[in-house]
Amino acid sequence: MTNANCDRETGADALRREWLGLLARAAPGTLGERMDAARAALGDLPPHRWLRMPETGSVMLRGRTGGTGAPFNLGEMTVTRCTLALDDGTVGHAMVPGRDKAHAEHVALADALLQRDGSRQAVQAAVLDPLAAEEEAAAHAVAAKAAATKVDFFTMVRGEDE
């Protein structure tokens, strides 16, 4: 994909990017529990076949000074990726931080299910909504902890300034 194509992202692409990010950031154990809830809501999950088995490798992280400067290599990060296809041909991808192959499998399966009209609402309710709520609650807890340490500096009017 060229840079020009990246600028023309559709609403569906942006939505998919958001749910993939949410799934990848989720704790592996929590995501496993949520996928069990999705399994209960959907009945049996559809069978799938591997297009790319879960494999662990590393990616180079790049940064920019001030967000606008020349890009530089920040360092490497271990990731696990996989790709699977449901029997109807829907393809799910995953790339998650770390070495947890089960986590990558859950993300890829959820990605594929979220692309299907028949399972999107159940997976949204059982997996994405609770994960988003947990992530938001954690962010609010961090913000509240930081706000508790806030110091307001002000200048008092001194008598000689009159």
Side-chain angles (χ1 to χ4, degrees), residues 4-5 7 12 41 45 50 71 77-78 86 90 93 95 102 106 114 120 128 151:
N5 289 338
D7 293 337
L45 294 178
W50 291 110
M77 178 179 176
T78 303
L86 302 179
T90 306
H93 299 281
M95 183 176 287
H106 287 139
L114 285 162
R120 181 177 300 124
L128 290 185
V151 177

Side-chain angles (χ1 to χ4, degrees), residues 2 24 27 32 38 41 44 51 53 57 62 70 72-73 75-76 98 100 103 121 127 139 142 144 158 162:
T2 65
D44 288 332
L51 300 178
M53 295 283 292
R62 304 215 43 189
F72 64 93
N73 292 337
E76 291 184 351
D100 194 331
H103 185 202
Q121 288 182 332
V127 180
V142 168
R158 298 188 326 195
E162 294 178 15

Side-chain angles (χ1 to χ4, degrees), residues 24-113:
R25 288 188 305 270
T30 303
L31 181 57
E33 292 170 7
R34 298 291 174 221
M35 289 301 291
D36 289 341
R39 188 173 285 115
L42 292 170
D44 288 332
L45 294 178
H48 62 274
R49 60 185 167 84
W50 291 110
L51 300 178
R52 175 181 295 157
M53 295 283 292
E55 57 188 14
T56 301
S58 61
V59 295
M60 179 61 67
L61 301 177
R62 304 215 43 189
R64 290 181 183 266
T65 305
T68 59
F72 64 93
N73 292 337
L74 187 62
E76 291 184 351
M77 178 179 176
T78 303
V79 296
T80 302
R81 69 179 182 176
C82 67
T83 303
L84 56 79
L86 302 179
D87 283 351
D88 67 358
T90 306
V91 176
H93 299 281
M95 183 176 287
V96 299
R99 301 175 180 271
D100 194 331
K101 292 180 179 182
H103 185 202
E105 181 178 354
H106 287 139
V107 171
L109 184 56
D111 178 41
L113 292 170

Side-chain angles (χ1 to χ4, degrees), residues 12 89 152:
D152 287 325

Side-chain angles (χ1 to χ4, degrees), residues 133-151:
E134 289 172 15
E135 189 174 76
E136 187 176 341
H140 284 304
V142 168
K145 187 174 181 181
T149 65
K150 181 180 178 185
V151 177

